[in-house]
Amino acid sequence: MLARNRFILLVVVGAVLAIVSLSLQFLHLIPTTPMGEERHPQDQGQVQGQGKSRKRVIPVPPTDDPDPDPITEAYGYCNTPDRSEQAWEGHSPVDYKLLSVQVMIRHGDRYPLYAIPKTKRPAIDCTLSPKRKPSHPQLKSFIGHMAQGGHGRWEGTLSSLPRLPNHSACEMGELTQTGVVQHLRNGQLLRQAYKRHKLLPPDWSTKQVWVETTSRSRTLQSGMALLYGFLPDFDWSLLTVHHQWSTLFCGSACDCPARNPYLEEEQRRQYRLRAADTELERTYADMARTLGLPPRQLRAANPIDSLLCHLCHGLSFPCVSAGSALGSGGCLTLAQFAVIRRQQLEDEVDRRRVGLYRRYAVLAMHPYLNRTANRLERVAKAYAPGRKPRAGEEVFTLSSAHDVTVAPLLSALGLEEALFPRFAARVVFELWKSPHATQGPRKGQRQSQNKASGVKGERSKGGNMFVRVLYNGEDVTFHTTFCRSHDRHATQPLCPLGNFLSFVRKDMFGVLNATSYHDACYRRTG
């Protein structure tokens, strides 16, 4: 009898284990977050709509690691388009409507801006060929479409720039085929993300799509690649490409006397940190000895720029023979490269600690952020209750820029922990409308809150309008200064548009002890 009971018990236990095993396998097939991603502990059980968590975790920068791997970080900076990528653009709770998308990008992979003296330049072909890797399914049609670019409207000197990279031996700073493919992929990702939202109608108008770029061919070509990936075979006659003369995209609001002094102080901080790094000094001396150069001349050539190009394109580091130089001869090494990158990562940590760059960034990027806020507010007003939506608002905006644009933008938003902008980095602002206006605090309570925070109605604007901020496909909204304190467990899981408007128009100047852009620019304190 006892043996029989034991047998029955074993059968029952085995059946339970089998069921559990099958359940785990089934659950594994339905992930609720992208592969390799973890949900924030506070977000467990806070899944909103469509089984997706709305609170994405900011990418942890290598600088948070006490001993980061500079080589791994450098490969991430290359952003080689040979892997699948998760993108969280276009995700929202059920029944929310996407109204507008504003995108800023860094140009794609480029040829170095500097040459290392006495070494051969990297042998890279900057013409485009669908048969050469890396390639993209749209590359051939993109090349053909750019040939029709004369039918578009180009502001200022943009019409004189080549619409495609076209040198068999790349020129300094020229966009490579890798850079074109990176942004074709970016555009394709955004197209897939927003397709079901019907962001743009098939008969979109000139006013609904705004494209702007600096006067560098690499930014113009990057912007065209992303736009083509997003809107394949777009109608040239509907497109105007606007010229931004400043890399800060500050338009008519560039005059700010207090801005550059902060940048100059920041550059002095960088110099002091580098000068105190004895390992870095020895490394530059060894590299200079190999090449037969004075260390100062080697530093001025910014060798990391060229070495990054070698690394990203799988090329051997440059070598010189002993007979061709006054130096010892030999090759520059990966270990030397790693020392320079290690110091750069440490510099990012010190930059955040000191805070000078953040002050510069607030002044540098306020004009762009203010234009973004105004655009979003115009769209929001067009969809206000009782009003018929207008088709003339800027639904999709693309700003093609540089690392010196995207880096201060991230800092100004309070995303100090974000990785330095890689090639083809993207920052996306999304405007969403909820099905119903949110139930805010009672009138007296709201007035009390606004008075306490110094906000004059901005936070109460657009009760059913919300904003998301994404960096390289990751939702970083709740890491921004303007929404870090938003209640993640509130009935509305997205960040109110009013928070962003208040931040841009007043709150962001708190770090400068000022209340407005004009005040911060012309009455510098502290």
Side-chain angles (χ1 to χ4, degrees):
M1 184 69 178
L2 181 61
R4 181 181 177 185
N5 290 340
R6 286 178 177 175
F7 174 76
I8 293 173
L9 178 62
L10 288 173
V11 171
V12 172
V13 170
V16 171
L17 290 175
I19 292 171
V20 170
S21 176
L22 287 171
S23 300
L24 289 174
Q25 292 178 37
F26 178 73
L27 289 172
H28 179 69
L29 295 175
I30 313 177
T32 57
T33 54
M35 295 299 291
E37 298 295 331
E38 295 181 356
R39 182 173 298 151
H40 194 283
Q42 293 182 356
D43 297 331
Q44 297 293 346
Q46 294 294 316
V47 180
Q48 302 290 340
Q50 302 176 16
K52 301 290 194 301
S53 170
R54 298 280 64 79
K55 284 67 172 185
R56 305 303 307 137
V57 179
I58 196 168
V60 178
T63 48
D64 279 357
D65 187 333
D67 188 22
D69 178 13
I71 305 302
T72 300
E73 181 277 336
Y75 278 117
Y77 176 87
C78 295
N79 190 22
T80 306
D82 58 358
R83 57 185 175 82
S84 60
E85 183 178 351
Q86 291 286 353
W88 286 90
E89 286 95 342
H91 288 267
S92 74
V94 176
D95 296 330
Y96 277 56
K97 180 176 177 58
L98 181 64
L99 303 181
S100 180
V101 173
Q102 317 282 315
V103 183
M104 174 174 277
I105 59 172
R106 184 193 175 189
H107 59 73
D109 178 82
R110 58 156 173 77
Y111 200 71
L113 297 172
Y114 305 88
I116 301 177
K118 298 187 178 182
T119 66
K120 292 183 179 180
R121 293 171 52 189
I124 298 175
D125 186 348
C126 272
T127 59
L128 301 182
S129 170
K131 297 181 180 179
R132 189 172 68 244
K133 293 185 177 180
S135 190
H136 188 276
Q138 291 179 292
L139 182 57
K140 183 177 180 179
S141 58
F142 169 69
I143 295 171
H145 197 65
M146 288 303 106
Q148 309 298 319
H151 298 293
R153 291 184 290 275
W154 308 82
E155 271 191 5
T157 59
L158 296 181
S159 61
S160 64
L161 297 179
R163 290 182 284 276
L164 295 173
N166 55 14
H167 294 93
S168 56
C170 293
E171 294 190 343
M172 292 296 188
E174 188 170 9
L175 193 71
T176 66
Q177 176 160 314
T178 299
V180 171
V181 170
Q182 286 168 336
H183 277 303
L184 284 173
R185 281 169 53 97
N186 270 346
Q188 186 179 43
L189 278 172
L190 296 182
R191 176 176 174 80
Q192 293 170 349
Y194 299 134
K195 184 176 181 179
R196 65 185 179 87
H197 295 288
K198 300 179 180 178
L199 178 65
L200 282 169
D203 58 343
W204 55 271
S205 67
T206 300
K207 292 183 178 180
Q208 289 177 302
V209 175
W210 175 281
V211 178
E212 58 185 1
T213 176
T214 63
S215 57
R216 299 295 182 182
S217 61
R218 59 182 176 272
T219 54
L220 182 146
Q221 294 159 5
S222 293
M224 291 298 98
L226 187 147
L227 184 66
Y228 188 80
F230 182 62
L231 293 173
D233 299 318
F234 59 82
D235 186 344
W236 277 109
S237 67
L238 298 178
L239 184 68
T240 297
V241 183
H242 301 271
H243 178 221
Q244 278 288 342
W245 67 272
S246 170
T247 58
L248 298 180
F249 284 65
C250 46
S252 61
C254 291
D255 186 28
C256 182
R259 182 182 63 235
N260 285 344
Y262 284 121
L263 182 60
E264 291 164 2
E265 289 181 37
E266 162 65 13
Q267 291 168 340
R268 287 193 288 270
R269 178 205 61 79
Q270 286 182 312
Y271 175 79
R272 290 192 296 269
L273 191 68
R274 286 196 301 266
D277 193 318
T278 55
E279 183 184 26
L280 181 68
E281 291 294 316
R282 286 197 304 269
T283 298
Y284 273 121
D286 291 343
M287 295 169 68
R289 192 177 305 113
T290 297
L291 301 175
L293 293 171
R296 179 172 294 183
Q297 183 181 356
L298 178 63
R299 280 180 175 275
N302 194 21
I304 192 67
D305 186 48
S306 181
L307 294 179
L308 266 170
C309 181
H310 284 80
L311 184 82
C312 294
H313 288 264
L315 303 175
S316 300
F317 281 1
C319 302
V320 294
S321 62
S324 63
L326 297 177
S328 59
C331 300
L332 302 183
T333 68
L334 190 63
Q336 292 168 337
F337 171 86
V339 169
I340 302 176
R341 288 301 285 178
R342 184 268 307 160
Q343 195 280 328
Q344 289 181 327
L345 295 175
E346 292 178 357
D347 178 77
E348 290 182 22
V349 175
D350 192 63
R351 182 191 71 189
R352 293 195 297 269
R353 180 187 64 81
V354 175
L356 289 169
Y357 187 79
R358 174 76 187 282
R359 294 166 190 160
Y360 160 76
V362 164
L363 296 177
M365 295 314 298
H366 173 262
Y368 170 80
L369 285 170
N370 192 48
R371 286 194 297 130
T372 301
N374 289 339
R375 285 184 177 126
L376 296 181
E377 187 177 33
R378 283 198 300 270
V379 175
K381 287 180 177 179
Y383 281 85
R387 298 186 65 175
K388 183 178 180 180
R390 294 175 296 177
E393 303 299 339
E394 293 144 340
V395 176
F396 181 78
T397 294
L398 173 61
S399 303
S400 188
H402 305 261
D403 57 352
V404 294
T405 323
V406 179
L409 174 61
L410 295 170
S411 181
L413 290 170
L415 299 172
E416 297 286 348
E417 301 299 321
L419 297 171
F420 186 82
R422 67 192 187 188
F423 285 129
R426 67 184 187 272
V427 179
V428 177
F429 298 85
E430 295 177 346
L431 179 65
W432 293 87
K433 180 179 182 291
S434 69
H436 307 287
T438 57
Q439 183 65 42
R442 292 186 301 273
K443 182 177 180 181
Q445 182 182 0
R446 181 169 63 247
Q447 290 174 342
S448 176
Q449 291 174 347
N450 288 344
K451 183 177 179 181
S453 61
V455 177
K456 297 182 179 180
E458 295 289 357
R459 293 187 187 275
S460 61
K461 287 184 178 181
N464 62 337
M465 298 292 175
F466 301 89
V467 66
R468 292 178 77 219
V469 182
L470 300 103
Y471 181 46
N472 294 333
E474 289 286 341
D475 186 340
V476 296
T477 311
F478 292 96
H479 296 271
T480 62
T481 301
F482 64 86
C483 222
R484 197 173 294 147
S485 60
H486 180 69
D487 183 3
R488 296 187 176 199
H489 304 285
T491 55
Q492 290 295 344
L494 301 186
C495 182
L497 172 63
N499 284 31
F500 180 61
L501 299 180
S502 176
F503 170 74
V504 171
R505 291 165 183 173
K506 180 178 179 182
D507 299 344
M508 69 185 299
F509 304 110
V511 70
L512 298 163
N513 295 321
T515 57
S516 70
Y517 181 60
H518 184 275
D519 185 27
C521 287
Y522 290 93
R523 189 183 60 80
R524 179 179 174 184
T525 58

